[in-house]
Amino acid sequence: MKRIECVILDWAGTSVDYGCFAPVSAFIESFKSMGLEVTAAETRAHMGLTKIEEIRALFRIGRVAETFREKYGRDYDENDIQHCYREFQRLLFATLRDYSDPIPHVVETIDLLRTQGIKIGSTTGYTKEMMDIVIPAAEEKGYRVDNCVTSDGLPAGRPCPYMIYKNMCDLAVPSRFSVVKYGDTISDIKEGVNAGVWSVGVVLGSNELGLTEEEVKALEPEELRRRMQDVRYRMLAAGAHYVVDSIEELPALIESINEKMNKE
């Protein structure tokens, strides 16, 4: 029988750090240190890329590049990108442990999937050095994966598929059809699509929704539905096979995928 053998999850905004706030604030403050302004919406638009690639993307924003030119009398270059990245890392490392709480229902859902023989992999836009902080902090709070792959040493990060393929090698998963990639950003969705695996997006707690738990609870139900639907449409437009509201829906979705594969 064909079946899902492996689920590969993202980290911030998917399994930990509800709303994906740790990198957002670090991006904003690192640009501010150079006298430049980027908004939360602009940082979230590129979330899921490796962090150095996101900084490059933010520098390419016309308004940001023009402000740099006016302030420094020249165009930005790679040295400026690297300077901003060093400041970003300094800010992020100072707060990473504080943003390692598992998102509600993640721990028990992953435990359930494990009882069904499903392997748990992960990919991330963080570097290995960053994950050396996040992984043990999350484990202290009950969240554990079987494998974590960063883009260090690979040809590229998201939306390229290499981190998924490395997970499959590390976990001895022979078929892409038996893999679900589960994540909260458009880059996550595209990573799954480019790898040819089942690509599943999640709405609540996601970077795309960009709200804290308290903000979600405080929103009028109709407004929350509207915002969640907007995230769902964006993920489906990016190629997601499915989009769930929360991880609680994942076990039933996997059962449905298994049935679908065995009917074909």
PDB file of all heavy atoms in Angstrom, residues 5 21 23 28 87 105 117 120 122 157 189 204 206 217 221 254:
ATOM      1  N   GLU A   5       4.932   8.446   4.541  1.00  0.00           N
ATOM      2  CA  GLU A   5       5.936   7.917   5.457  1.00  0.00           C
ATOM      3  C   GLU A   5       6.686   9.005   6.216  1.00  0.00           C
ATOM      4  O   GLU A   5       7.346   8.725   7.215  1.00  0.00           O
ATOM      5  CB  GLU A   5       6.957   7.078   4.691  1.00  0.00           C
ATOM      6  CG  GLU A   5       6.376   5.872   3.979  1.00  0.00           C
ATOM      7  CD  GLU A   5       7.433   5.126   3.189  1.00  0.00           C
ATOM      8  OE1 GLU A   5       8.610   5.109   3.618  1.00  0.00           O
ATOM      9  OE2 GLU A   5       7.091   4.570   2.124  1.00  0.00           O
ATOM     10  N   PHE A  21       7.368  35.699  14.809  1.00  0.00           N
ATOM     11  CA  PHE A  21       7.743  37.057  15.186  1.00  0.00           C
ATOM     12  C   PHE A  21       9.235  37.263  15.407  1.00  0.00           C
ATOM     13  O   PHE A  21       9.726  38.386  15.291  1.00  0.00           O
ATOM     14  CB  PHE A  21       6.961  37.489  16.429  1.00  0.00           C
ATOM     15  CG  PHE A  21       5.553  37.891  16.109  1.00  0.00           C
ATOM     16  CD1 PHE A  21       4.520  36.971  16.165  1.00  0.00           C
ATOM     17  CD2 PHE A  21       5.261  39.183  15.708  1.00  0.00           C
ATOM     18  CE1 PHE A  21       3.218  37.332  15.838  1.00  0.00           C
ATOM     19  CE2 PHE A  21       3.967  39.561  15.381  1.00  0.00           C
ATOM     20  CZ  PHE A  21       2.944  38.638  15.447  1.00  0.00           C
ATOM     21  N   PRO A  23      12.061  36.501  13.651  1.00  0.00           N
ATOM     22  CA  PRO A  23      12.832  37.114  12.556  1.00  0.00           C
ATOM     23  C   PRO A  23      12.302  38.467  12.113  1.00  0.00           C
ATOM     24  O   PRO A  23      13.076  39.319  11.675  1.00  0.00           O
ATOM     25  CB  PRO A  23      12.732  36.084  11.428  1.00  0.00           C
ATOM     26  CG  PRO A  23      11.538  35.263  11.738  1.00  0.00           C
ATOM     27  CD  PRO A  23      11.389  35.258  13.223  1.00  0.00           C
ATOM     28  N   ILE A  28      13.578  44.208  10.983  1.00  0.00           N
ATOM     29  CA  ILE A  28      13.226  45.632  11.086  1.00  0.00           C
ATOM     30  C   ILE A  28      14.328  46.409  11.802  1.00  0.00           C
ATOM     31  O   ILE A  28      14.759  47.478  11.340  1.00  0.00           O
ATOM     32  CB  ILE A  28      11.874  45.786  11.813  1.00  0.00           C
ATOM     33  CG1 ILE A  28      10.741  45.247  10.928  1.00  0.00           C
ATOM     34  CG2 ILE A  28      11.622  47.250  12.174  1.00  0.00           C
ATOM     35  CD1 ILE A  28       9.395  45.161  11.630  1.00  0.00           C
ATOM     36  N   GLU A  87      24.271  42.321  11.868  1.00  0.00           N
ATOM     37  CA  GLU A  87      23.426  42.964  12.883  1.00  0.00           C
ATOM     38  C   GLU A  87      22.144  42.157  13.092  1.00  0.00           C
ATOM     39  O   GLU A  87      21.676  41.989  14.223  1.00  0.00           O
ATOM     40  CB  GLU A  87      23.102  44.397  12.449  1.00  0.00           C
ATOM     41  CG  GLU A  87      22.243  45.179  13.427  1.00  0.00           C
ATOM     42  CD  GLU A  87      22.893  45.418  14.783  1.00  0.00           C
ATOM     43  OE1 GLU A  87      24.095  45.112  14.944  1.00  0.00           O
ATOM     44  OE2 GLU A  87      22.189  45.906  15.682  1.00  0.00           O
ATOM     45  N   HIS A 105      -1.117  22.447  19.919  1.00  0.00           N
ATOM     46  CA  HIS A 105      -1.489  21.156  19.299  1.00  0.00           C
ATOM     47  C   HIS A 105      -0.366  20.529  18.471  1.00  0.00           C
ATOM     48  O   HIS A 105      -0.553  19.423  17.960  1.00  0.00           O
ATOM     49  CB  HIS A 105      -2.756  21.296  18.442  1.00  0.00           C
ATOM     50  CG  HIS A 105      -3.882  21.994  19.131  1.00  0.00           C
ATOM     51  ND1 HIS A 105      -4.492  21.465  20.240  1.00  0.00           N
ATOM     52  CD2 HIS A 105      -4.485  23.186  18.879  1.00  0.00           C
ATOM     53  CE1 HIS A 105      -5.444  22.313  20.655  1.00  0.00           C
ATOM     54  NE2 HIS A 105      -5.456  23.354  19.841  1.00  0.00           N
ATOM     55  N   GLY A 117       3.992   5.479  12.693  1.00  0.00           N
ATOM     56  CA  GLY A 117       5.204   5.133  11.958  1.00  0.00           C
ATOM     57  C   GLY A 117       5.699   6.202  11.014  1.00  0.00           C
ATOM     58  O   GLY A 117       6.532   5.933  10.144  1.00  0.00           O
ATOM     59  N   ILE A 120       9.538  12.317  11.151  1.00  0.00           N
ATOM     60  CA  ILE A 120       9.351  13.768  11.253  1.00  0.00           C
ATOM     61  C   ILE A 120      10.648  14.475  10.890  1.00  0.00           C
ATOM     62  O   ILE A 120      11.634  14.462  11.640  1.00  0.00           O
ATOM     63  CB  ILE A 120       8.915  14.185  12.678  1.00  0.00           C
ATOM     64  CG1 ILE A 120       7.692  13.366  13.133  1.00  0.00           C
ATOM     65  CG2 ILE A 120       8.641  15.683  12.723  1.00  0.00           C
ATOM     66  CD1 ILE A 120       6.464  13.535  12.259  1.00  0.00           C
ATOM     67  N   SER A 122      12.464  18.197   9.063  1.00  0.00           N
ATOM     68  CA  SER A 122      12.221  19.643   9.104  1.00  0.00           C
ATOM     69  C   SER A 122      13.193  20.378   8.205  1.00  0.00           C
ATOM     70  O   SER A 122      14.319  19.923   7.971  1.00  0.00           O
ATOM     71  CB  SER A 122      12.333  20.177  10.538  1.00  0.00           C
ATOM     72  OG  SER A 122      13.644  20.008  11.052  1.00  0.00           O
ATOM     73  N   GLY A 157      18.748  27.506  -0.518  1.00  0.00           N
ATOM     74  CA  GLY A 157      17.624  27.247   0.374  1.00  0.00           C
ATOM     75  C   GLY A 157      16.317  27.305  -0.395  1.00  0.00           C
ATOM     76  O   GLY A 157      16.281  27.104  -1.610  1.00  0.00           O
ATOM     77  N   ILE A 189       5.531  26.542   0.643  1.00  0.00           N
ATOM     78  CA  ILE A 189       4.659  25.917  -0.352  1.00  0.00           C
ATOM     79  C   ILE A 189       5.453  25.624  -1.620  1.00  0.00           C
ATOM     80  O   ILE A 189       5.407  24.513  -2.174  1.00  0.00           O
ATOM     81  CB  ILE A 189       3.459  26.827  -0.689  1.00  0.00           C
ATOM     82  CG1 ILE A 189       2.625  27.139   0.557  1.00  0.00           C
ATOM     83  CG2 ILE A 189       2.601  26.198  -1.783  1.00  0.00           C
ATOM     84  CD1 ILE A 189       2.072  25.950   1.280  1.00  0.00           C
ATOM     85  N   LEU A 204      -3.395  29.236  10.819  1.00  0.00           N
ATOM     86  CA  LEU A 204      -3.295  29.796  12.169  1.00  0.00           C
ATOM     87  C   LEU A 204      -1.866  29.664  12.697  1.00  0.00           C
ATOM     88  O   LEU A 204      -1.250  28.603  12.592  1.00  0.00           O
ATOM     89  CB  LEU A 204      -4.264  29.091  13.116  1.00  0.00           C
ATOM     90  CG  LEU A 204      -5.745  29.399  12.889  1.00  0.00           C
ATOM     91  CD1 LEU A 204      -6.625  28.505  13.754  1.00  0.00           C
ATOM     92  CD2 LEU A 204      -6.044  30.875  13.185  1.00  0.00           C
ATOM     93  N   SER A 206       0.581  31.278  11.439  1.00  0.00           N
ATOM     94  CA  SER A 206       1.509  31.385  10.308  1.00  0.00           C
ATOM     95  C   SER A 206       2.080  32.788  10.137  1.00  0.00           C
ATOM     96  O   SER A 206       1.504  33.787  10.569  1.00  0.00           O
ATOM     97  CB  SER A 206       0.791  30.994   9.009  1.00  0.00           C
ATOM     98  OG  SER A 206      -0.163  31.987   8.650  1.00  0.00           O
ATOM     99  N   LYS A 217      -7.603  35.788  18.922  1.00  0.00           N
ATOM    100  CA  LYS A 217      -8.763  35.664  19.806  1.00  0.00           C
ATOM    101  C   LYS A 217      -9.568  36.953  19.880  1.00  0.00           C
ATOM    102  O   LYS A 217     -10.789  36.927  20.074  1.00  0.00           O
ATOM    103  CB  LYS A 217      -8.312  35.259  21.206  1.00  0.00           C
ATOM    104  CG  LYS A 217      -7.759  33.844  21.284  1.00  0.00           C
ATOM    105  CD  LYS A 217      -7.140  33.560  22.648  1.00  0.00           C
ATOM    106  CE  LYS A 217      -6.521  32.175  22.679  1.00  0.00           C
ATOM    107  NZ  LYS A 217      -5.787  31.920  23.940  1.00  0.00           N
ATOM    108  N   PRO A 221     -15.108  37.494  14.583  1.00  0.00           N
ATOM    109  CA  PRO A 221     -15.097  36.232  13.822  1.00  0.00           C
ATOM    110  C   PRO A 221     -15.126  36.417  12.307  1.00  0.00           C
ATOM    111  O   PRO A 221     -14.399  35.715  11.587  1.00  0.00           O
ATOM    112  CB  PRO A 221     -16.361  35.519  14.317  1.00  0.00           C
ATOM    113  CG  PRO A 221     -16.553  36.036  15.711  1.00  0.00           C
ATOM    114  CD  PRO A 221     -16.106  37.467  15.665  1.00  0.00           C
ATOM    115  N   ILE A 254      -3.751  13.329   6.157  1.00  0.00           N
ATOM    116  CA  ILE A 254      -2.833  12.276   5.722  1.00  0.00           C
ATOM    117  C   ILE A 254      -3.602  10.995   5.396  1.00  0.00           C
ATOM    118  O   ILE A 254      -3.316  10.317   4.396  1.00  0.00           O
ATOM    119  CB  ILE A 254      -1.748  12.038   6.795  1.00  0.00           C
ATOM    120  CG1 ILE A 254      -0.763  13.211   6.789  1.00  0.00           C
ATOM    121  CG2 ILE A 254      -1.011  10.713   6.564  1.00  0.00           C
ATOM    122  CD1 ILE A 254       0.249  13.187   7.902  1.00  0.00           C
TER     123      ILE A 254
END
